[in-house]
Amino acid sequence: MPPRTARAPAGGPGSAPVKRKPPTPFAVKPIGAFYVFLGANILAALYAPIQDCDETFNYWEPTHYLSHGYGLQTWEYSPDYAIRSWLYIAFHALIGNFRRLLPHPTKLGEFYFIRYALAFICAICQTQMFRVVNNTLNPRIAIFFMMAMIFSPGMFHASASFLPSSFAMYATMMGMANFMNWRGGLKTAQGITCFAIGGILGWPFAMALSAPFLFEEIVLAFLSSKDALIDVIMRFIRGIVASLLVLFFEFIISGFFYKKMVVVPFNIVLYNIFSGPGKGPEIYGTEPWHFYIRNLLLNFNIWFVLACAAMPIFAIKKLFSRGQQEGGAVTGLRSIIFMTPFYMWLAIFSFQPHKEERFMYPVYPALALNAAMALHIILAAFGSADPKTLVGKIPARLKLFVVSTVVIGSIDLGVARIYGIYTAYSAPLKIYEPLQNGTIAARGDSVCFGKEWYRFPSQYHLPNDMRAKFVKSEFDGLLPGEFSEARTGYGFWSGAWLTPSGMNDENIEDMGKYVDLRTCHFLVDTYYPNSIASKLEPHYITDEENWETVKCEPFMDAANTHILARTIWLPNLEVIPEKYRRKWGAHCLLKRKEKI
């Protein structure tokens, strides 16, 4: 089990300079791996639905505000709370604005250009970690790591999502790659800086994933010489100084927008941990401890099982390996360190009452690494040809068949779920297309949302100066407001620092967020054949007297669809029993009928 040598590599704690090792051969060259990662991520950028309304309202809408002067504002961006980073938003706004310099600029083009940029950044980070895994561990482990990353529905969601947790995932890959790579000297400062960038600009809690690697360096330094300990301290100091520079830059940019001194990462931690009763993330819902186990099984299938089994499998291998061992104490410690971040993250967040799928994004690379290492150990044992062992008596073709069935089955399940998610929930990204040609809508028109408010993909999907509005539904929580568009005497982006009305951190409804239905030019609604209408949520689609259909797209009726059909894509064939077929509704863009 790699690392292959018991000695710390050149540049390791307490090691003397040694002759440089020859480069490890690649099963797939890094440039080839990059193209594979990029291709998978571009598909996600094109087709992945927006799963979390936080992505729309907390990130796409503020970015739209910076670029176009208007947008929806959540309470998190109120200067009274200031728990969102404007530096993170500004970075994406710059990318979107660059698209405006290219031919045929559109707001929808900006949306996808930002997604493509995120896909590209993610592919670079994946390739770097792939390269380090190949060189530090084993080329076969690197291939398995690649497979886990490109065929998992979890990465389909996370790779191009405009979310701090996705950004933290990118930084985690770079941070892990730096800490794992001892060739050419330890890269502690670079690793600390990468994790700090992910935590400061993305999600502060993701910095905890660096703890096992820092622990490793401290332990090995104490086991080495005094000079090695001093070297570790100096590397730590350099990393901390670089991190403080990133924090200072974030402090300056967010302070410019909020017009106050604010440390956003500190505010995020305070809100999530020290909010007090009636506040904090728990008011948005809680889940049982096994929520992430079920979620990760759906999004990584066999790879999640392997990731969980990695440490026990490694321990069994160490206990029962006879004769020559692959490495010694340093090798064993490094392998354990590499596996620890996944277990640590899963344990910590499983005990948090409020759970969301995106909270797992930062640990996806560690999950893939654990799974790849576990599969490598299993195949090494399963491939034994020693006739004295039980495994050695199994015919080689039967072994190949079993392994191929498991791996190909996992890939098939992953692809089936990815395609199933796209076909079931992609309607909100498609129905606004008729508005783009400028023939059925005018500047100043409004598109209203009732019960489907959380499916709105962003105002990047609406033509210039067409605004999103909300009408009252059964939902009784706090909806987003609008960034102030005051200009005269207020300077640029006044909405970032002017305190909006009706905002609170207790999810208390503000009736000022709604408009009268009669003022709506367009309306978005979903109709399910078996649904029951109410006074606040009538079936607008069937109200042909007041509304005409502009465009409808199929939308899966999850409440009436069997769990198997919800989990993966099943073909709509006669051989599939009716019980297991998907049930459908319609997600529609409606236009108010003109009275004659």
Side-chain angles (χ1 to χ4, degrees):
M1 176 65 194
R4 302 180 191 79
T5 62
R7 258 186 321 220
S15 64
V18 298
K19 186 177 179 180
R20 183 181 293 274
K21 292 182 181 180
T24 306
F26 287 93
V28 175
K29 296 293 184 183
I31 187 62
F34 170 75
Y35 288 137
V36 172
F37 286 130
L38 182 62
N41 296 347
I42 289 294
L43 288 175
L46 279 169
Y47 299 114
I50 293 178
Q51 289 203 125
D52 193 327
C53 63
D54 264 8
E55 182 176 354
T56 293
F57 298 120
N58 273 327
Y59 306 105
W60 283 112
E61 284 298 303
T63 304
H64 185 277
Y65 170 69
L66 290 190
S67 297
H68 297 277
Y70 64 95
L72 297 173
Q73 180 184 23
T74 62
W75 67 268
E76 290 97 324
Y77 284 90
S78 169
D80 292 342
Y81 305 103
I83 64 171
R84 294 288 179 253
S85 167
W86 277 110
L87 177 57
Y88 177 66
I89 297 299
F91 169 70
H92 293 79
L94 285 173
I95 295 173
N97 286 340
F98 179 76
R99 175 62 183 86
R100 299 166 75 176
L101 302 176
L102 302 178
H104 311 294
T106 64
K107 290 205 299 179
L108 192 59
E110 293 174 42
F111 175 87
Y112 282 104
F113 193 77
I114 292 173
R115 275 192 159 194
Y116 297 151
L118 294 174
F120 180 81
I121 294 169
C122 184
I124 290 176
C125 298
Q126 288 170 307
T127 304
Q128 177 64 6
M129 188 165 175
F130 168 86
R131 187 183 67 82
V132 170
V133 169
N134 183 95
N135 292 340
T136 305
L137 298 175
N138 186 284
R140 186 165 70 175
I141 295 177
I143 291 295
F144 293 151
F145 172 80
M146 177 191 289
M147 293 170 62
M149 294 294 271
I150 65 176
F151 291 116
S152 297
M155 283 302 299
F156 178 72
H157 303 319
S159 59
S161 290
F162 185 2
L163 287 168
S165 48
S166 283
F167 185 82
M169 180 185 72
Y170 307 157
T172 296
M173 285 188 275
M174 296 301 291
M176 289 182 67
N178 277 297
F179 277 117
M180 292 171 66
N181 183 17
W182 279 2
R183 293 195 176 194
L186 271 71
K187 301 169 182 63
T188 310
Q190 297 94 316
I192 291 173
T193 304
C194 287
F195 276 108
I197 290 172
I200 294 169
L201 302 188
W203 202 28
F205 303 102
M207 288 189 284
L209 288 167
S210 66
F213 300 101
L214 299 176
F215 174 77
E216 174 194 29
E217 296 217 10
I218 293 171
V219 168
L220 293 180
F222 272 107
L223 294 177
S224 301
S225 65
K226 179 180 178 182
D227 290 340
L229 180 59
I230 294 174
D231 287 342
V232 168
I233 293 173
M234 294 306 298
R235 290 194 298 271
F236 275 40
I237 291 174
R238 288 195 295 270
I240 292 170
V241 169
S243 303
L244 289 174
L245 289 174
V246 175
L247 181 61
F248 177 73
F249 194 45
E250 150 58 34
F251 176 79
I252 293 297
I253 299 300
S254 288
F256 167 78
F257 282 100
Y258 284 122
K259 294 291 189 292
K260 60 187 290 188
M261 297 176 64
V262 56
V263 182
V264 171
F266 181 67
N267 285 354
I268 294 174
V269 173
L270 284 179
Y271 170 74
N272 281 278
I273 299 178
F274 303 107
S275 288
K279 298 182 179 182
E282 289 80 10
I283 65 175
Y284 298 100
T286 59
E287 299 289 346
W289 66 269
H290 49 77
F291 172 84
Y292 289 127
I293 295 176
R294 293 183 285 113
N295 181 265
L296 291 173
L297 275 172
L298 284 174
N299 285 326
F300 285 89
N301 53 71
I302 189 65
W303 302 109
F304 172 64
V305 177
L306 288 168
C308 290
M311 193 81 79
I313 290 172
F314 176 72
I316 292 171
K317 177 188 180 299
K318 283 292 183 183
L319 286 173
F320 291 95
S321 291
R322 296 179 180 179
Q324 295 190 6
Q325 294 272 338
E326 294 182 18
V330 173
T331 298
L333 175 62
R334 294 221 80 197
S335 297
I336 291 171
I337 291 298
F338 294 169
M339 295 177 183
T340 299
F342 168 70
Y343 295 110
M344 181 185 72
W345 190 265
L346 181 61
I348 291 172
F349 280 86
S350 291
F351 286 100
Q352 302 304 309
H354 179 66
K355 299 178 178 67
E356 296 186 38
E357 179 179 323
R358 60 192 168 102
F359 294 171
M360 286 292 109
Y361 288 2
V363 85
Y364 281 177
L367 185 156
L369 178 62
N370 276 31
M373 293 173 73
L375 185 56
H376 172 74
I377 298 172
I378 292 171
L379 292 186
F382 198 56
S384 173
D386 186 352
K388 296 180 182 179
T389 63
L390 179 62
V391 172
K393 296 176 181 178
I394 301 174
R397 289 186 178 180
L398 180 58
K399 292 179 182 179
L400 179 62
F401 174 76
V402 171
V403 172
S404 300
T405 300
V406 172
V407 174
I408 295 174
S410 171
I411 293 172
D412 288 344
L413 282 174
V415 172
R417 178 158 176 80
I418 289 170
Y419 186 67
I421 291 168
Y422 168 73
T423 55
Y425 302 116
S426 61
L429 293 178
K430 299 177 178 178
I431 62 170
Y432 304 96
E433 184 180 341
L435 299 176
Q436 307 301 326
N437 58 26
T439 60
I440 66 170
R443 284 180 175 269
D445 282 357
S446 58
V447 180
C448 292
F449 299 83
K451 67 178 186 289
E452 297 300 310
W453 64 271
Y454 59 96
R455 301 195 197 279
F456 177 48
S458 79
Q459 294 188 92
Y460 279 103
H461 291 74
L462 305 181
N464 286 326
D465 288 327
M466 178 175 277
R467 310 299 178 98
K469 303 289 183 180
F470 300 111
V471 295
K472 184 70 177 99
S473 65
E474 300 289 350
F475 177 74
D476 59 358
L478 180 65
L479 287 172
E482 297 180 358
F483 284 104
S484 171
E485 298 172 34
R487 289 183 174 84
T488 304
Y490 291 95
F492 296 105
W493 302 300
S494 61
W497 62 270
L498 289 174
T499 302
S501 62
M503 294 296 189
N504 63 83
D505 62 350
E506 300 176 66
N507 200 27
I508 298 173
E509 185 176 28
D510 173 32
M511 298 305 294
K513 301 293 189 294
Y514 302 108
V515 299
D516 192 309
L517 180 63
R518 291 171 294 185
T519 66
C520 300
H521 302 89
F522 294 88
L523 181 71
V524 172
D525 195 33
T526 301
Y527 172 72
Y528 302 110
N530 296 322
S531 61
I532 300 174
S534 68
K535 182 179 179 181
L536 293 176
E537 295 181 357
H539 290 153
Y540 294 109
I541 294 173
T542 61
D543 182 10
E544 298 181 355
E545 180 181 347
N546 294 302
W547 301 98
E548 61 179 309
T549 300
V550 176
K551 185 175 183 178
C552 287
E553 289 287 338
F555 197 85
M556 189 176 71
D557 184 358
N560 292 295
T561 298
H562 191 274
I563 187 172
L564 181 61
R566 295 201 309 268
T567 302
I568 60 173
W569 174 79
L570 294 176
N572 190 25
L573 300 175
E574 293 295 329
V575 295
I576 304 295
E578 180 65 28
K579 174 183 177 182
Y580 298 106
R581 295 186 194 177
R582 289 180 164 185
K583 307 302 185 289
W584 296 94
H587 189 68
C588 299
L589 174 66
L590 310 175
K591 182 180 181 181
R592 179 175 293 281
K593 283 187 174 181
E594 296 182 4
K595 299 295 183 179
I596 301 176

